[in-house]
Amino acid sequence: MLENIRFYIVYLALLSGIIGLIFYYKLPNNKAKSILVMIWLSFLVEFLGIHFTKWTGQINFFIFNFYILISFSYYIFLLKLLLKKILYKLVATIFLVIFILFYIINQILIQQSFNQTFTNSFTLGVFFILILSCLYLIELFNSEKILNFKRSIYFWFILGILLFHIPYLPFILAIDWFLIERVESIYSLVLFVLNFLMNTCFIVGFIWTEKKYNY
């Protein structure tokens, strides 16, 4: 039973995407709208991940590995746009370049097959977004926006991706790097719970946000 619960993650992403469309009018510019696009992309990836093997008989690792490249590049770029200090923006730009180059090098020289999870790239991506998210939160809490930070879709989106990626990283590293046995029921449950937390943040963000705080 539990080993199949991760297949319901696609419905969490779908629900977030639908609620995002309902409150689309609160997203005033391309920066804000890009969050909704990213959520729908995650739905598409989950949908393809579930059905790709059924349709083709092939392993679907390459779908999620490609999503690692797209999603972390987007997270870093979005945080760059949200950061105010020139130094912080420069750090974000450097992180983005390093991440893309590392992803390519990792695929060619280290993890040379798409038939495995690109754990190295995932780890670096989490490390980068954690640093940039801390910088974003420091700026946020030291600005006038602190009074209405819960009205910003950006706060809820960043919180959501942190709540998923920070706990998931040590879990996946324990499996891939330390060869801890992967129990499918536990893996599926952890993946579902973390996705539930992340998408709950997205949904709350769309409902609570106000347009004037999303510029």
Side-chain angles (χ1 to χ4, degrees), residues 54-72:
K54 295 180 182 178
W55 294 338
T56 66
Q58 304 296 317
I59 299 175
N60 61 10
F61 278 112
F62 82 92
I63 295 175
F64 295 101
N65 285 331
F66 183 68
Y67 183 66
I68 288 174
L69 173 63
I70 298 300
S71 61
F72 281 105

Side-chain angles (χ1 to χ4, degrees), residues 17-33:
I18 291 174
I19 292 178
L21 288 176
I22 294 173
F23 294 99
Y24 182 80
Y25 68 92
K26 294 183 178 182
L27 309 177
N29 51 32
N30 290 334
K31 182 172 63 176
K33 290 180 175 66

Side-chain angles (χ1 to χ4, degrees), residues 8 22 41 44 55 68 83 86 116 123 128 130 143 168 177 181 185:
Y8 293 95
I22 294 173
L41 178 60
L44 179 61
W55 294 338
I68 288 174
L83 292 167
I86 300 298
Q116 59 178 316
T123 301
F128 283 167
L130 176 59
S143 70
Y168 184 67
W177 287 5
E181 181 181 0
S185 59

Side-chain angles (χ1 to χ4, degrees), residues 6-25:
R6 64 189 176 95
F7 296 119
Y8 293 95
I9 291 172
V10 65
Y11 298 110
L12 297 176
L14 178 60
L15 179 60
S16 295
I18 291 174
I19 292 178
L21 288 176
I22 294 173
F23 294 99
Y24 182 80
Y25 68 92

Side-chain angles (χ1 to χ4, degrees), residues 9-154:
I9 291 172
V10 65
Y11 298 110
L12 297 176
L14 178 60
L15 179 60
S16 295
I18 291 174
I19 292 178
L21 288 176
I22 294 173
F23 294 99
Y24 182 80
Y25 68 92
K26 294 183 178 182
L27 309 177
N29 51 32
N30 290 334
K31 182 172 63 176
K33 290 180 175 66
S34 69
I35 290 177
L36 183 58
V37 172
M38 198 64 203
I39 291 173
W40 277 103
L41 178 60
S42 69
F43 163 74
L44 179 61
V45 168
E46 292 293 343
F47 181 82
L48 291 177
I50 292 173
H51 294 93
F52 181 79
T53 302
K54 295 180 182 178
W55 294 338
T56 66
Q58 304 296 317
I59 299 175
N60 61 10
F61 278 112
F62 82 92
I63 295 175
F64 295 101
N65 285 331
F66 183 68
Y67 183 66
I68 288 174
L69 173 63
I70 298 300
S71 61
F72 281 105
S73 296
Y74 170 74
Y75 299 152
I76 295 171
F77 184 73
L78 176 64
L79 283 161
K80 175 189 174 182
L81 295 179
L82 295 176
L83 292 167
K84 301 301 181 183
K85 292 185 178 181
I86 300 298
L87 178 60
Y88 293 170
K89 286 181 174 291
L90 177 60
V91 170
T93 300
I94 293 173
F95 280 178
L96 181 58
V97 172
I98 291 175
F99 175 75
I100 294 174
L101 290 177
F102 181 83
Y103 182 94
I104 296 171
I105 294 171
N106 179 66
Q107 197 277 322
I108 295 175
L109 300 178
I110 305 174
Q111 294 180 278
Q112 300 177 354
S113 172
F114 267 99
N115 292 325
Q116 59 178 316
T117 302
F118 283 0
T119 312
N120 297 337
S121 297
F122 183 86
T123 301
L124 184 65
V126 172
F127 179 70
F128 283 167
I129 63 170
L130 176 59
I131 293 175
L132 294 176
S133 296
C134 288
L135 296 178
Y136 164 71
L137 292 174
I138 289 172
E139 284 192 341
L140 178 64
F141 294 144
N142 286 317
S143 70
E144 295 179 354
K145 294 181 180 179
I146 183 60
L147 300 176
N148 298 288
F149 70 94
K150 289 189 288 187
R151 299 299 182 183
S152 169
I153 189 61
Y154 304 118

